[in-house]
Amino acid sequence: MAERREQEKPLAPATPAIVFVEKLTPFPAAEFISRRRKRCLKCCGCSAALLLIIAVTTLALMLTVFHVKDPAIKLNSVNIHGFDKLSNNTNALAGFNLTLVAGISIKNPNAASFKFDEATAGVHYGGALVGEARAPAGEAGPRRKRRMDVVVDIMVDRLVGVSRFESDYAAGILPLSAFARVKGVVKITEVIKRSFVVKINCSFSVDFRSQVIRDRSCMRDLSL
């Protein structure tokens, strides 16, 4: 009977489970976003400043070092030798030539050399070509001026073949015109380079008696 009562005795309640609830720290969203935004602004600012520096430097180089300027040609002097032997006697002039020496200069304003091919020159009288010559190829250094003498043989038989020669000889004044043509290239880099053809046309008069060049006038031309 006693055993039966013990069996009917209610069981002790189970020990309640202890649940630990961890207190989560709130996520610092605002602070994180603020820091990230500052980093992005700094990165964008540095990139923009770098791009600006590159753009300004490139522009400065394009306007200075990389800017290709036009070369110029100039006639500095003209001298003609042999006028003391010139006469209106056609028979005495057979095989006789005058020598014209033209001093020209090529100015190169660029930061790279202006390399030019063989130059051509000629002399006209009364619309007829009475002499021509070629000058050797060369180079005008960076921001330098290259001087050269072009020697042209004027064929007197062509001079006397012009209808106005006798009247000009009697007046003692021979009007001539001369030209020079130079073709070359300015090469800054393999990509930045330009070709030029510089030309000059001059007119002048030669005094037979004093052998002085008078009324010299020149016009320069440039083509790409």
Side-chain angles (χ1 to χ4, degrees):
M1 193 73 177
E3 294 178 358
R4 189 175 179 180
R5 288 180 179 175
E6 290 180 358
Q7 291 178 356
E8 292 178 357
K9 196 173 182 177
L11 298 174
T15 304
I18 300 174
V19 179
F20 294 95
V21 179
E22 183 179 359
K23 186 177 182 181
L24 299 177
T25 304
F27 187 76
E31 183 180 354
F32 177 78
I33 293 174
S34 177
R35 289 180 180 177
R36 189 172 181 181
R37 183 177 297 171
K38 288 181 180 179
R39 290 178 183 175
C40 290
L41 289 175
K42 287 182 180 180
C43 183
C44 293
C46 292
S47 300
L50 181 60
L51 291 175
L52 181 61
I53 292 173
I54 293 174
V56 172
T57 304
T58 303
L59 180 61
L61 290 174
M62 293 299 293
L63 294 176
T64 55
V65 179
F66 292 157
H67 179 59
V68 182
K69 301 177 183 178
D70 301 337
I73 187 171
K74 182 181 179 182
L75 178 66
N76 300 313
S77 62
V78 178
N79 293 292
I80 299 180
H81 307 286
F83 266 112
D84 53 336
K85 300 178 181 179
L86 188 64
S87 68
N88 61 350
N89 186 349
T90 306
N91 295 327
L93 297 176
F96 173 66
N97 291 335
L98 299 174
T99 302
L100 182 146
V101 180
I104 65 174
S105 60
I106 300 174
K107 183 179 180 181
N108 176 28
N110 296 288
S113 297
F114 174 56
K115 298 180 179 180
F116 53 88
D117 301 329
E118 191 178 51
T120 57
V123 178
H124 286 85
Y125 170 60
L129 181 65
V130 296
E132 56 184 335
R134 293 183 179 274
E139 179 179 344
R143 297 189 176 92
R144 293 290 186 271
K145 185 182 292 184
R146 172 70 181 271
R147 299 178 184 272
M148 66 177 73
D149 288 335
V150 180
V151 180
V152 183
D153 289 331
I154 300 176
M155 293 166 278
V156 177
D157 55 345
R158 294 189 183 183
L159 278 178
V160 299
V162 178
S163 58
R164 58 180 293 177
F165 176 75
E166 290 188 5
S167 61
D168 287 338
Y169 184 83
I173 298 293
L174 188 68
L176 298 174
S177 62
F179 73 90
R181 180 179 181 273
V182 179
K183 181 180 179 181
V185 61
V186 175
K187 184 178 179 181
I188 306 293
T189 65
E190 291 295 333
V191 178
I192 305 174
K193 56 184 177 180
R194 286 177 64 186
S195 298
F196 297 93
V197 178
V198 289
K199 295 176 283 187
I200 188 169
N201 290 278
C202 298
S203 60
F204 50 89
S205 299
V206 184
D207 191 320
F208 286 165
R209 299 175 181 84
S210 63
Q211 299 188 34
V212 175
I213 306 298
R214 303 182 184 278
D215 305 323
R216 190 173 74 185
S217 176
C218 295
M219 293 183 62
R220 289 177 288 185
D221 189 19
L222 176 73
S223 58
L224 304 179

